[in-house]
């Protein structure tokens, strides 16, 4: 009972926004970036528990498989030079549909008869998010989860 395999499935939605002003010669450039990603994640971990009476501490580590859907990635560029305004729209990044990463965490559970509750802190690091050659973009996240179980 100290070592167990643990599999989960969860949904996340993440977003990024940036607005930057820069200069290119005599022109002023405005860059607006919007990225939204919905992800269905499946972490599969090995969990090692240190039982200690009413409290149990545990460590877990393993792999996570993500499937991205409903992705939006846009870059709006506006260049102003005197009375001339040029506007462009393009994809900010090419987000891959699937990715894999590594996950690890620590947590505790408090036993109260048939009731168990606790928390876990977990860190995730993706192997690769963007699929364009010559460009590296990855994703990391830190999550805090609450555990509640009735037997």
């Amino acid at each position: 009972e100290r070592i167990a395999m643990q599999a989960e499935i969860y949904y996340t939605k993440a977003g990024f926004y940036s607005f930057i002003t820069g200069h290119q010669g005599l022109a002023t450039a405005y860059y607006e970036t919007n990225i939204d990603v919905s992800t269905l994640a499946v972490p599969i971990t090995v969990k090692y528990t240190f039982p200690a009476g009413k409290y149990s501490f545990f460590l877990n580590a393993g792999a996570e498989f993500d499937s991205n859907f409903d992705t939006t990635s846009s870059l709006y560029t506006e260049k102003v030079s005197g009375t001339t305004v040029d506007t462009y729209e393009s994809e900010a990044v090419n987000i891959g549909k699937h990715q894999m990463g590594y996950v690890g965490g620590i947590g505790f559970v408090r036993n109260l008869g048939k009731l168990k509750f606790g928390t876990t802190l977990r860190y995730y690091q993706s192997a690769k998010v963007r699929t364009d050659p010559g460009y590296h973009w990855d994703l990391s996240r830190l999550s805090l989860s609450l555990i509640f179980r009735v037997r």
Side-chain angles (χ1 to χ4, degrees):
E1 219 176 85
R2 287 181 181 243
I3 296 178
M5 292 292 292
Q6 181 173 322
E8 303 170 18
I9 186 166
Y10 61 90
Y11 166 82
T12 61
K13 183 157 181 69
F16 171 81
Y17 175 80
S18 171
F19 184 80
I20 299 172
T21 303
H23 297 283
Q24 293 181 341
L26 298 176
T28 301
Y30 303 96
Y31 303 96
E32 182 178 14
T33 305
N34 288 295
I35 300 172
D36 288 305
V37 181
S38 295
T39 304
L40 194 60
V42 180
I44 300 173
T45 61
V46 174
K47 181 178 177 181
Y48 187 83
T49 304
F50 303 92
K54 291 184 179 182
Y55 291 94
S56 295
F57 297 91
F58 62 87
L59 300 173
N60 57 16
E64 181 171 303
F65 306 93
D66 292 352
S67 180
N68 299 318
F69 60 97
D70 194 23
T71 61
T72 305
S73 171
S74 59
L75 171 62
Y76 300 100
T77 304
E78 188 173 272
K79 293 181 182 176
V80 179
S81 181
T83 59
T84 304
V85 178
D86 295 317
T87 304
Y88 310 96
E89 183 179 349
S90 62
E91 183 179 51
V93 291
N94 182 8
I95 300 169
K97 292 288 182 193
H98 305 284
Q99 65 205 39
M100 184 187 146
Y102 308 96
V103 65
I106 186 169
F108 81 92
V109 174
R110 166 111 164 125
N111 297 314
L112 293 171
K114 293 184 178 184
L115 178 65
K116 288 186 174 187
F117 67 93
T119 187
T120 181
L121 181 65
R122 187 178 289 169
Y123 178 77
Y124 166 77
Q125 177 67 52
S126 71
K128 186 177 183 181
V129 175
R130 187 170 172 171
T131 60
D132 296 343
Y135 188 86
H136 180 77
W137 179 46
D138 61 10
L139 173 72
S140 63
R141 68 180 163 255
L142 187 63
S143 64
L144 180 66
S145 301
L146 299 176
I147 300 166
F148 180 77
R149 187 170 112 186
V150 178
R151 284 188 171 190

